[in-house]
Amino acid sequence: MESNIGYYLFALVAIIVAFLIVKKVASCMIKSVVLLVLVVVLAVVYYLYIYQ
């Protein structure tokens, strides 16, 4: 019976760690997408208003 408890504890810890890693990666990706959109908007504003 103890091996089953150890297996479930290991699975629970693995799920928690995987959730935390996905959360960190997703937040980093969201920040990267927002930064990319901001750079594109600034480039368009520069091209349309300042460059011409």
Side-chain angles (χ1 to χ4, degrees):
M1 188 73 181
E2 186 165 333
S3 64
N4 288 340
I5 292 173
Y7 174 75
Y8 289 126
L9 286 175
F10 175 75
L12 182 63
V13 169
I15 290 170
I16 291 171
V17 168
F19 175 76
L20 292 175
I21 290 173
V22 168
K23 185 176 173 183
K24 294 265 186 200
V25 170
S27 70
C28 181
M29 290 177 70
I30 290 170
K31 289 177 186 175
S32 298
V33 169
V34 168
L35 181 63
L36 182 64
V37 168
L38 184 62
V39 167
V40 169
V41 168
L42 288 174
V44 168
V45 167
Y46 172 77
Y47 180 75
L48 290 177
Y49 295 105
I50 298 173
Y51 185 70
Q52 293 181 353

